[in-house]
Amino acid sequence: MSAVPFVDLSVAPDDAEVRAAIESVLAAGSLILGPEVDAFEREFAEYCGSGHCVGVSSGTAALELILRGMGIGAGDEVIVPAYTAIATWMAVSEVGATPVAVDVDACYGIDPRAAAAARSPRTRAVIAVHLLGRPLDLNAVADALPDVPIIEDCAQAHGARIGPKRVGSSGIAGAFSFYPTKNLAALGDGGAVITDDAALADRIRLLRSFGWRTRSESLIRAGNARLDEIQAAVLRVRLRRLDAGNARRATIAAEYTARLTDVPGVHPPGGHAWEDSVWHLYVLRTSTPAVLQKFLRERAVAALRHYDPLPHQAQAFADMAGATPLPIAELLASESLSLPMGPHITSNDIDSVVDAITEWAAAGRPGGAGAS
Ligand SMILES: *Cc1c(COP(=O)(O)O)cnc(C)c1O
């Protein structure tokens, strides 16, 4: 039985397209904000069905520039889900605003009722996170928070659809990460903002690079959050493969679910709510995820805990802990285990993962609370 890695970030020796894309940038000698970034921005905006795309240096930068572009900063509050990557919260605190945590529902999405209760006169926006690849119901968020702009954090949901629309194209703006583990991945850091608001897109372009309209005129004060040409060239190739990769993830997820449904002690993410997911992560629930994780590791299967600790449990946000009880997020965090997922997973890998989990269950879940 060979090892099953959680992700595979290597570029195959026979991946001629990605290698040729890099070579062409090397030959052209234009390395920052050139023709590849322009072309990627056009192609990604079109793919997402959005009017504008601005390539930036990371998903966190994308969120920060959206917030800054909206004029959000010190004294402002932004509603965020308790269950998310810590980057969602960090973007808010980095612009000087306060992340206001609200609990999630059993499908890891922000709970609209909790969001409504968290609203205050200082609320300037809500960040709706399409977590794990599952598109969130934005209508429910909009109904709960009338007139509050919705920023979509799409870092885990490239290409996911809400009805006919891709994520990121319904709110005021969508933020994407191209971190190497994401469904659309660069060979390093990268990110993008999409929006239909031309004025916001224009401000974000200025915020991306020293407030420059042209190299000689800085119109506003701003830092550097640029996407580079090599990453953009690689992203153009991989954008053409995104739908196939997402379809492969859905097949793997369906296989996991079919084969784990009757295994005692583990609960696959099932049912209607997950139909449209692009399966960035495949997250099981079990009462002792750390124990199962260790059992799998001994069988060379890599499983990870997303997200433990949660942002409000991190030392960085210790001053905000306890403001609101977050029982569902904490329950999910204590029960979640992510299985290896991605286009690299073979049917032999699926066998190895399922066999190891079945072995653990058959042995009475050794080491866990279910062992008795
Ligand atoms: C990865 C991620 C981010 C941050 O993206 P970076 O490119 O790493 O800055 C933000 N939000 C979510 C939900 C993520 O998964």
Side-chain angles (χ1 to χ4, degrees):
M1 204 159 71
S2 58
V4 185
F6 192 79
V7 291
D8 180 3
L9 306 184
S10 63
V11 175
D14 62 354
D15 191 340
E17 271 186 313
V18 164
R19 287 166 196 277
I22 296 169
E23 282 295 333
S24 78
V25 175
L26 300 185
S30 167
L31 296 177
I32 301 281
L33 296 188
E36 295 291 338
V37 170
D38 287 345
F40 174 71
E41 289 176 344
R42 276 196 308 276
E43 290 161 8
F44 195 58
E46 186 184 285
Y47 174 85
C48 294
S50 188
H52 308 272
C53 171
V54 184
V56 296
S57 55
S58 71
T60 309
L63 287 168
E64 279 184 48
L65 266 51
I66 293 168
L67 292 163
R68 282 189 210 284
M70 294 170 67
I72 294 174
D76 295 330
E77 293 179 354
V78 177
I79 294 175
V80 294
Y83 206 104
T84 182
I86 201 162
T88 311
W89 288 43
M90 287 293 183
V92 176
S93 55
E94 282 299 289
V95 305
T98 302
V100 176
V102 305
D103 211 355
V104 293
D105 61 22
C107 288
Y108 300 82
I110 194 165
D111 177 346
R113 283 216 314 238
R119 186 173 188 166
S120 90
R122 302 204 297 186
T123 303
R124 293 287 314 280
V126 53
I127 302 184
V129 184
H130 302 290
L131 202 72
L132 314 182
R134 189 184 74 100
L136 196 72
D137 179 0
L138 294 181
N139 290 330
V141 177
D143 290 346
L145 295 167
D147 304 320
V148 175
I150 299 175
I151 298 167
E152 296 179 66
D153 181 340
C154 309
Q156 301 191 1
H158 314 72
R161 289 174 192 273
I162 308 169
K165 297 189 83 171
R166 305 264 189 205
V167 295
S169 60
S170 300
I172 182 161
F176 290 84
S177 166
F178 306 126
Y179 184 75
T181 62
K182 310 287 184 175
N183 291 34
L184 179 56
L187 292 175
D189 278 313
V193 174
I194 62 169
T195 181
D196 280 330
D197 182 331
L200 180 61
D202 186 57
R203 274 198 301 283
I204 289 172
R205 278 182 199 286
L206 299 179
L207 288 167
R208 165 175 77 174
S209 190
F210 310 133
W212 280 344
R213 176 91 63 207
T214 65
R215 271 193 92 85
S216 55
E217 43 163 356
S218 285
L219 303 185
I220 57 171
R221 288 201 286 263
N224 166 9
R226 297 180 298 239
L227 181 66
D228 70 68
E229 286 283 285
I230 289 182
Q231 301 310 336
V234 170
L235 288 166
R236 291 182 68 199
V237 173
R238 289 182 166 178
L239 178 58
R240 299 196 287 269
R241 302 173 180 171
L242 176 58
D243 288 340
N246 285 346
R248 174 74 193 136
R249 287 170 183 268
T251 303
I252 295 163
E255 184 94 351
Y256 275 150
T257 297
R259 294 173 63 181
L260 292 171
T261 295
D262 295 328
V263 176
V266 296
H267 306 283
H272 178 70
W274 293 92
E275 253 168 33
D276 299 320
S277 180
V278 293
W279 297 104
H280 175 60
L281 294 171
Y282 183 93
V283 180
L284 281 180
R285 289 178 64 185
T286 183
S287 58
T288 54
V291 172
L292 176 55
Q293 180 185 34
K294 181 163 170 289
F295 186 92
L296 295 178
R297 192 184 306 127
E298 284 158 7
R299 277 146 191 81
V301 170
L304 296 177
R305 304 285 310 280
H306 298 96
Y307 287 94
D308 181 44
L310 291 166
H312 72 279
Q313 296 164 331
Q315 189 182 326
F317 293 110
D319 56 330
M320 296 180 183
T324 316
L326 303 163
I328 308 291
E330 289 178 6
L331 177 71
L332 291 175
S334 72
E335 292 191 347
S336 292
L337 188 67
S338 308
L339 300 186
M341 172 52 83
H344 70 290
I345 296 293
T346 64
S347 24
N348 282 342
D349 292 337
I350 296 174
D351 289 344
S352 301
V353 174
V354 170
D355 289 350
I357 295 173
T358 309
E359 185 192 338
W360 181 69
R365 286 171 261 155
S372 55

